[in-house]
Amino acid sequence: MARPKSEDKRIALLQAATVAIAQAGISASTASIARSAGVAEGTLFRYFATKDDLLNALYIWLKHDLGSIILQQVDFEAASPKQQLNSVWDNYIDWEITHPLANACMRHLAVSGKITQETEQQVANMFPELDRLCESRIRPIFREPPLRAFGDGLFLALAETTIDFAIREPQRAPVFKETGFETMWRALTNADNPA
Amino acid sequence: MARPKSEDKRIALLQAATVAIAQAGISASTASIARSAGVAEGTLFRYFATKDDLLNALYIWLKHDLGSIILQQVDFEAASPKQQLNSVWDNYIDWEITHPLANACMRHLAVSGKITQETEQQVANMFPELDRLCESRIRPIFREPPLRAFGDGLFLALAETTIDFAIREPQRAPVFKETGFETMWRALTNADNPA
Amino acid sequence: MARPKSEDKRIALLQAATVAIAQAGISASTASIARSAGVAEGTLFRYFATKDDLLNALYIWLKHDLGSIILQQVDFEAASPKQQLNSVWDNYIDWEITHPLANACMRHLAVSGKITQETEQQVANMFPELDRLCESRIRPIFREPPLRAFGDGLFLALAETTIDFAIREPQRAPVFKETGFETMWRALTNADNPA
Amino acid sequence: MARPKSEDKRIALLQAATVAIAQAGISASTASIARSAGVAEGTLFRYFATKDDLLNALYIWLKHDLGSIILQQVDFEAASPKQQLNSVWDNYIDWEITHPLANACMRHLAVSGKITQETEQQVANMFPELDRLCESRIRPIFREPPLRAFGDGLFLALAETTIDFAIREPQRAPVFKETGFETMWRALTNADNPA
DNA sequence: AATGAATGAGGCTTCATTCAT
DNA sequence: AATGAATGAAGCCTCATTCAT
């Protein structure tokens, strides 16, 4: 098979890279990543041909992890659409709070200029059902092509800001979560049809 | 006093750094910055003792430029508070659209981990009148200490997302600007007192 | 275990450093050392993490070389204590005469301020039997703690001066060696018990 | 006159260089020396065309200072030759103890490889009366050309070692001074004619 | 005469990647 | 498949010296 020998080592490398990049930015050296993954310097390059390849694989891996956790915990039985969206919101933020290194790492990757268009595309198509769920709760103007991406962007911006504050002051996380959600709700949904 | 240290060269270095960092991130080399500023590499270090010093000075310089332009163009005669805030919003976004490199550079600096607390402080205290103007238009819950910083963060997040989209698709900038502002207004102000 | 780190290269680096530092002082560049050792500059830093590390390792290496040669050639069968000490003296000076670069290098290292306490300690404990042999021949006042180190210092000072002259005028080395030894004998031993 | 304007500045530069080199070795930068002398970077080069020139001038200046102090305090009325030499010995060592920076600086200069033959010559001829005084007290073998320089070297070596210990443990200086002198006396003078 | 801004070569060190083992 | 030694380009910064002011 094309995949190299040990999936364990691949995961170990991705995890080590997450920690290293969270702490040192993308300038974290491949040597340090390999070392904390418990493999030799050269081995890293058998799993990822290039440092940039590692960065892109890592981005996808983290996004996938995040998305699948959110999805698997959404409360589809929730009474109202608002409650359903609130469940997504909370899961999203909870995951980031419990994975602050992953969060920091993704931020670094996102602004690194190393993530290719192709990678971004792959991530965008990763969980169509999640996108659909969010969009259906959103005010009409943000639902159609011309402003759809913009709506997504605003949603993410609010969520990420909420996460920043929640990570920085964990004991106040519930307040930030709730206030953030209500703010997003006012911002992006049809206020006339609140629930 | 011999040749005085040239303000022109300082500016040239800051401008060169802005471009280089916008394109290459903070890993832009001091050599490349000096070269495109038209001075020797050693000269750079007479103006900024350290690359980190340059980064901090650059951050302050860009923020100051941005803030002073916004402030000087705010329409204090505007009929309503909403219109006043809209004027700030538009000026902010217009500046960023017309200075996409400065914008990109500031993003890189902000996440670089090289900006010191002291620099952040200096920037925070730079335009108190601007802060006051924005805050007075904001809903009460975001005006008092426990959530003030959070409110600022959400405001900035929405503005920056709007800027991102406006820079990426300049011809649609007016739509993003307006939609973004209305979204922010719903999100952060007291809807009961809409104008 | 891949290629093992080559002891040959380590030695080549230490030898190259000896020559370079003998000639240029500790300001000899790592580039020049690596070049004359026949390796890439980066390689030097796989063997010695830091230039200072190289300097300390070199100091230990040279002292060890010197000490072990002296020790292995001491004439323990010599009739009198004076003759035994004379054998040490001669071996010491002969080594330095035949290794003038090593000698010059050690002088530079000794005054460089880069040799750590730990390194000095390690060197001091390197050949206890040699110390013991010298001390037992020395006059009582220099044998006990308060002045022991001082006695060692004076011994070394006389030896090093003798070496300086012997290296500078090799053909007169025997005279310097003998005169130096007799001078040291008068200076540091119990004249009442001359042989 | 050929001498530049201010003798004060020349002295200030020499003093500043003494301190800087004592602490940092000859790699002390000309900029730092100029700064602590209270003059501009460029000014240093109006007094000393080159860093090497400064180093040589400094060596001569320090040696002259040392020699003239010793000479002016020698007790020519002392009863015995031994007492006269003891007076030189004590003055020498006292000067170094009270000028530890000058001492450290001279050591650095002496091994720097930057002191020219010409400078060494000039220093050697600086105080012929002092040389004569010391030599006349010395055992015959060290008085005639073949071994005269060697005798001087041994004398200096013992003195400098004594100084090292006296500077390192100032409260025990008197013991080192006396023991050192007696050792030198045994080593270099005619024991048969002790006083 | 004095200043200090400007220079650019050179120093130490890091790092992604290759390749012998 | 895995290792880690080897590489050399590139990065940041220092410094003696020059020269415009």
Side-chain angles (χ1 to χ4, degrees):
Chain A
M1 48 181 139
R3 183 82 58 89
K5 213 169 150 189
S6 152
E7 185 67 10
D8 282 2
K9 267 178 193 148
R10 204 184 113 93
I11 301 293
L13 282 164
L14 290 169
Q15 283 172 336
T18 303
V19 176
I21 290 171
Q23 290 165 349
I26 55 155
S27 70
S29 74
T30 52
S32 76
I33 292 169
R35 193 180 329 116
S36 57
V39 305
E41 274 180 70
T43 302
L44 184 151
F45 292 93
R46 296 193 60 77
Y47 287 81
F48 307 96
T50 272
K51 189 181 184 183
D52 282 9
D53 281 4
L54 167 61
L55 263 25
N56 280 274
L58 180 54
Y59 189 70
I60 290 171
W61 185 69
L62 290 171
K63 288 288 188 191
H64 184 91
D65 202 13
L66 163 60
S68 59
I69 295 290
I70 291 178
L71 203 58
Q72 115 191 11
Q73 298 187 342
V74 168
D75 181 2
F76 288 104
E77 308 303 321
S80 70
K82 182 172 181 179
Q83 282 168 356
Q84 281 186 17
L85 193 53
N86 202 345
S87 149
V88 171
W89 180 269
D90 284 354
N91 289 334
Y92 181 16
I93 291 171
D94 285 342
W95 187 89
E96 302 270 6
I97 292 174
T98 53
H99 299 75
L101 291 174
N103 174 59
C105 179
M106 286 192 311
R107 300 289 172 101
H108 282 296
L109 292 174
V111 299
S112 69
K114 304 287 192 180
I115 302 305
T116 65
Q117 288 269 323
E118 199 197 330
T119 298
E120 299 276 24
Q121 201 59 46
Q122 221 171 311
V123 169
N125 301 336
M126 207 176 262
F127 296 103
E129 61 276 45
L130 194 55
D131 294 348
R132 240 176 292 121
L133 185 148
C134 293
E135 276 155 29
S136 65
R137 307 294 172 263
I138 293 296
R139 59 171 46 206
I141 189 176
F142 290 128
R143 247 182 269 153
E144 294 312 313
L147 290 177
R148 217 188 97 166
F150 187 43
D152 290 356
L154 293 170
F155 178 90
L156 277 174
L158 293 172
E160 281 174 12
T161 303
T162 304
I163 289 160
D164 277 351
F165 280 81
I167 286 179
R168 226 175 302 153
E169 297 186 66
Q171 77 288 2
R172 298 177 63 203
V175 179
F176 293 128
K177 255 163 68 176
E178 194 196 329
T179 314
F181 179 74
E182 291 299 334
T183 304
M184 182 280 292
W185 188 255
R186 276 196 304 278
L188 300 179
T189 65
N190 197 336
D192 300 342
N193 185 8
Chain B
M1 74 210 80
R3 239 169 313 176
K5 200 154 6 186
S6 140
E7 185 64 13
D8 282 3
K9 259 172 201 145
R10 205 186 113 93
I11 302 293
L13 282 164
L14 290 169
Q15 283 171 337
T18 303
V19 177
I21 290 171
Q23 290 165 352
I26 56 157
S27 71
S29 73
T30 52
S32 76
I33 293 169
R35 195 177 330 115
S36 64
V39 303
E41 192 171 4
T43 301
L44 184 153
F45 291 95
R46 286 193 82 85
Y47 286 80
F48 307 96
T50 272
K51 188 180 180 183
D52 281 10
D53 280 5
L54 167 60
L55 264 25
N56 279 273
L58 180 53
Y59 189 70
I60 289 171
W61 185 69
L62 291 171
K63 288 287 187 190
H64 184 90
D65 202 12
L66 163 61
S68 58
I69 295 290
I70 291 178
L71 202 59
Q72 114 190 10
Q73 299 187 341
V74 168
D75 181 1
F76 286 104
E77 307 303 321
S80 69
K82 181 172 180 178
Q83 282 168 355
Q84 279 185 20
L85 192 53
N86 201 345
S87 148
V88 169
W89 180 269
D90 285 353
N91 290 333
Y92 180 17
I93 290 169
D94 286 342
W95 188 90
E96 302 270 7
I97 292 173
T98 52
H99 300 75
L101 292 174
N103 173 60
C105 179
M106 286 192 311
R107 301 288 173 99
H108 282 297
L109 292 175
V111 299
S112 70
K114 304 288 192 179
I115 303 304
T116 65
Q117 288 266 323
E118 201 197 327
T119 297
E120 299 277 24
Q121 200 60 46
Q122 222 170 308
V123 168
N125 300 336
M126 208 177 260
F127 297 102
E129 60 275 48
L130 196 56
D131 294 348
R132 240 177 292 121
L133 187 146
C134 294
E135 276 156 29
S136 65
R137 308 294 172 262
I138 293 296
R139 59 169 48 201
I141 190 177
F142 290 129
R143 245 181 270 154
E144 293 312 313
L147 289 177
R148 218 188 95 168
F150 188 43
D152 290 357
L154 293 170
F155 179 92
L156 278 174
L158 294 172
E160 283 174 10
T161 303
T162 304
I163 289 159
D164 279 350
F165 281 80
I167 287 179
R168 228 174 300 154
E169 299 186 65
Q171 76 288 2
R172 297 177 63 205
V175 179
F176 292 129
K177 253 161 72 174
E178 194 197 327
T179 314
F181 179 74
E182 291 299 335
T183 303
M184 182 280 292
W185 187 257
R186 277 195 304 279
L188 300 179
T189 66
N190 196 336
D192 299 343
N193 185 6
Chain C
M1 73 210 83
R3 237 169 314 176
K5 199 151 12 183
S6 139
E7 185 64 13
D8 283 2
K9 260 173 202 147
R10 205 186 114 93
I11 302 293
L13 282 165
L14 290 169
Q15 282 171 337
T18 303
V19 177
I21 290 171
Q23 289 165 350
I26 55 157
S27 70
S29 73
T30 52
S32 75
I33 293 169
R35 195 177 331 115
S36 64
V39 302
E41 194 172 3
T43 302
L44 185 153
F45 290 93
R46 287 194 82 85
Y47 286 80
F48 308 96
T50 273
K51 188 180 181 184
D52 282 10
D53 280 5
L54 167 60
L55 263 24
N56 279 273
L58 180 54
Y59 189 71
I60 290 171
W61 185 69
L62 290 171
K63 289 287 188 192
H64 184 89
D65 201 13
L66 163 60
S68 59
I69 294 291
I70 291 178
L71 203 57
Q72 111 189 15
Q73 299 187 343
V74 167
D75 181 1
F76 287 105
E77 307 303 321
S80 69
K82 182 171 180 178
Q83 283 168 355
Q84 279 185 19
L85 193 52
N86 202 344
S87 148
V88 171
W89 181 269
D90 284 354
N91 290 334
Y92 181 16
I93 291 169
D94 286 342
W95 188 90
E96 303 269 6
I97 291 173
T98 52
H99 300 74
L101 291 174
N103 173 60
C105 179
M106 286 193 310
R107 300 287 173 101
H108 282 296
L109 292 175
V111 299
S112 69
K114 304 287 191 180
I115 303 305
T116 65
Q117 289 266 323
E118 201 197 327
T119 297
E120 299 277 24
Q121 200 60 46
Q122 223 170 309
V123 168
N125 300 336
M126 209 176 259
F127 296 104
E129 60 276 47
L130 195 56
D131 294 348
R132 240 177 292 121
L133 186 147
C134 294
E135 275 155 29
S136 65
R137 307 296 172 261
I138 293 295
R139 59 171 45 204
I141 190 178
F142 290 128
R143 247 182 269 153
E144 293 310 314
L147 290 177
R148 217 187 96 167
F150 187 43
D152 289 356
L154 293 169
F155 179 92
L156 278 174
L158 293 171
E160 283 175 10
T161 303
T162 303
I163 289 159
D164 279 350
F165 281 80
I167 287 179
R168 228 173 300 154
E169 299 186 63
Q171 76 289 3
R172 297 177 61 205
V175 180
F176 292 128
K177 255 163 67 175
E178 194 196 329
T179 315
F181 179 73
E182 290 300 336
T183 304
M184 183 280 292
W185 189 256
R186 277 195 304 280
L188 299 179
T189 66
N190 198 335
D192 299 343
N193 184 9
Chain D
M1 49 181 141
R3 184 82 58 88
K5 213 168 150 190
S6 154
E7 184 65 11
D8 282 3
K9 268 177 193 148
R10 206 185 110 93
I11 301 294
L13 282 164
L14 290 168
Q15 284 172 335
T18 303
V19 176
I21 290 170
Q23 291 166 349
I26 55 156
S27 71
S29 74
T30 52
S32 77
I33 293 169
R35 194 180 328 118
S36 56
V39 304
E41 274 179 70
T43 302
L44 185 151
F45 291 93
R46 296 192 60 77
Y47 288 81
F48 307 96
T50 270
K51 188 181 184 182
D52 282 8
D53 281 5
L54 166 61
L55 264 23
N56 279 273
L58 180 55
Y59 190 69
I60 290 170
W61 184 70
L62 289 171
K63 287 288 187 192
H64 183 91
D65 202 13
L66 163 60
S68 60
I69 295 289
I70 291 177
L71 203 57
Q72 115 191 11
Q73 298 188 343
V74 168
D75 182 1
F76 288 103
E77 308 303 321
S80 69
K82 181 172 181 179
Q83 282 167 356
Q84 280 185 19
L85 193 54
N86 202 345
S87 150
V88 171
W89 180 269
D90 284 355
N91 290 334
Y92 181 18
I93 291 171
D94 286 342
W95 187 89
E96 301 270 8
I97 292 174
T98 53
H99 299 74
L101 291 175
N103 173 60
C105 179
M106 286 191 311
R107 300 289 172 100
H108 282 296
L109 291 175
V111 299
S112 69
K114 304 286 191 180
I115 303 304
T116 64
Q117 288 270 323
E118 200 197 329
T119 298
E120 299 277 24
Q121 201 60 45
Q122 220 171 311
V123 167
N125 300 336
M126 208 177 262
F127 296 103
E129 61 275 47
L130 194 56
D131 293 349
R132 238 177 294 120
L133 186 147
C134 293
E135 275 155 28
S136 66
R137 307 296 173 263
I138 292 295
R139 59 170 46 202
I141 191 178
F142 290 128
R143 248 182 268 155
E144 293 313 313
L147 290 177
R148 216 187 96 167
F150 188 42
D152 290 358
L154 294 170
F155 179 91
L156 277 174
L158 293 172
E160 281 173 13
T161 303
T162 305
I163 288 160
D164 277 351
F165 281 80
I167 287 180
R168 227 175 299 154
E169 297 187 65
Q171 76 287 3
R172 297 178 63 204
V175 179
F176 292 129
K177 255 161 69 174
E178 194 196 328
T179 314
F181 180 74
E182 291 298 336
T183 303
M184 182 280 292
W185 189 255
R186 276 195 305 279
L188 300 179
T189 67
N190 196 336
D192 300 342
N193 183 8

